[in-house]
Amino acid sequence: YLLCTELSVTVSYGEIDAVRRFLSARNCEVKDILYGEDVRFLVAIKAEERSSWTAALVDFLNGRAEISEKSSYFCPFPLANGK
C-alpha cells in the first residue's frame, strides 16, 4: 500500500484530448471523469509525486487546468512499479 493523493483536474472540453494524452503517459489512476459545463478528471497519484506531477500537468496545458486536492489515503496503487 502507498500513500496516494486524489486530485480533481478541471479543464474545458477543448483540453480533453491533451489531458488524456498526459494521463496515459503518467503513473496515475483515473478514478472518474465527470462531464458538465467543463470536464473534471478525478485522478489518484502517489502522494510523493504530487508537486512534480501537478507542475508537469500545468506546464503541459500551459496553465489551462484547475487542480485541487480532494483527499489522501493508503491504497494498493496499481502502478506501484512505475512505467
Side-chain angles (χ1 to χ4, degrees):
Y1 284 79
L2 298 173
L3 181 60
C4 294
T5 298
E6 189 168 295
L7 302 175
S8 172
V9 178
T10 304
V11 296
S12 68
Y13 278 87
E15 302 299 327
I16 292 174
D17 289 338
V19 173
R20 285 187 174 146
R21 283 193 309 274
F22 179 88
L23 296 175
S24 70
R26 299 288 173 180
N27 193 17
C28 63
E29 180 181 357
V30 178
K31 306 294 271 183
D32 202 0
I33 303 172
L34 306 169
Y35 299 91
E37 287 184 26
D38 44 28
V39 182
R40 186 167 43 145
F41 292 81
L42 298 177
V43 182
I45 62 171
K46 293 178 186 176
E48 65 192 28
E49 297 175 355
R50 185 193 189 287
S51 293
S52 62
W53 195 95
T54 55
L57 178 59
V58 167
D59 185 54
F60 186 76
L61 295 175
N62 296 315
R64 294 185 307 262
E66 180 181 319
I67 304 169
S68 62
E69 186 172 325
K70 302 306 284 177
S71 61
S72 293
Y73 48 87
F74 286 95
C75 66
F77 200 78
L79 304 174
N81 59 357
K83 281 188 173 181

